[in-house]
Amino acid sequence: LAPAGVHCGNYITSHGLALNCCTDLTWFDHIVPCGLEGKGVTSLSHELGQHVTVSHVLEPFLDSFQEVFDCTLVSSESPG
């Protein structure tokens, strides 16, 4: 539901996280998601049986992230 990925190479580490809210899951039929053969992909909307948008989950997700990782997130849109 929320895959995280890490890539390391040439002394650079990058990472990312995806949270599928109301994604068109048919696109995943054309790839092997995360390189895991035979594994499926889902979304919050599919699992909850109702339409869930990014705007519904963004603030609670970021609040939980800060709590779990004991950090303060700063928006790149904020000055300073």
Side-chain angles (χ1 to χ4, degrees), residues 5-58:
V6 177
H7 176 265
C8 303
N10 298 323
Y11 305 101
I12 297 172
T13 303
S14 56
H15 54 278
L17 178 124
L19 184 60
N20 295 330
C21 294
C22 52
T23 306
D24 177 0
L25 299 176
T26 60
W27 290 102
F28 291 99
D29 295 338
H30 305 283
I31 64 169
V32 179
C34 300
L36 301 173
E37 291 281 346
K39 301 296 178 187
V41 175
T42 191
S43 68
L44 286 172
S45 293
H46 178 80
E47 294 299 317
L48 297 174
Q50 63 186 39
H51 187 71
V52 179
T53 64
V54 172
S55 62
H56 284 117
V57 298
L58 187 58

